[in-house]
Amino acid sequence: VEAENGDTQAHFNLSFNSSLSNGALYIIAAADASVIGFDNPGYNFNGGQKPKITLPTEQTPGDNSVDPKAHILIYENNSFKASQSTDIEATFSHYAAYGKLSLTDFTAEGVTSYVLNINDKVYTINSSKTENVWFACEPATVADMTISVITTDDTTYTKKIVEDSTPSLEFVKGQVSTFTVNMDGVTTGDAVDTFNPTSRLESLSWY
């Protein structure tokens, strides 16, 4: 893959082991091929079957980005021509939504990880940071969410989102939900408190 135009575009070549017919082209760009699964090895995209994508639920983010394994891009072309001989201009879309979490008034030391339960979908984020902790998740409007912070002595500090939060916390595909959790009041392990998230949506600055 050759990056171009300030790393906002890339050029790459594809080759196929079998003959193609006119119809549809579906490309998944993922840092880890294990996120892509085929329930039926002879799947037919034209017939509605697409590869199954599994977003990693355990992630280790970078300083200013999500875990590369959770950064999954998709290109779909429903009018692909098998005789195509020129370059295809392919605009990829993001599979996941993204979050950027910060804690305030958190006095415990030695954070090792976070466990996020978003609408009963659980994600483990391995990070020692307390500001701008990135993660990827399934798109969702939050109806039920808990955030647990685990420290080096295996103590867990948990806060639960209040159900009537206004505005509601949303995770939108291809966008970043930046939000802050005030940990004031959680002074003992395994305590559960409620919080109103302060959040905003923003466009991605990386691709």
Side-chain angles (χ1 to χ4, degrees), residues 145-149 157-161 181-186 191-195:
M145 179 177 179
T146 57
I147 297 175
S148 297
V149 186
Y157 302 86
T158 301
K159 277 216 166 184
K160 178 180 175 64
I161 193 171
V181 179
N182 188 333
M183 298 297 287
D184 183 37
V186 178
V192 177
D193 200 357
T194 59
F195 74 96

Side-chain angles (χ1 to χ4, degrees), residues 117-133:
N117 188 325
I118 305 172
N119 296 351
D120 292 326
K121 184 75 172 181
V122 179
Y123 304 89
T124 299
I125 313 301
N126 299 310
S127 176
S128 60
K129 298 172 60 177
T130 56
E131 293 184 346
N132 298 328
V133 179

Side-chain angles (χ1 to χ4, degrees), residues 56-71 112-114 123-129 133-136:
T57 55
E58 182 170 356
Q59 303 170 21
T60 302
D63 287 338
N64 195 33
S65 66
V66 297
D67 186 328
K69 294 180 180 180
H71 185 203
T112 60
S113 62
Y114 296 78
Y123 304 89
T124 299
I125 313 301
N126 299 310
S127 176
S128 60
K129 298 172 60 177
V133 179
W134 286 78
F135 62 91

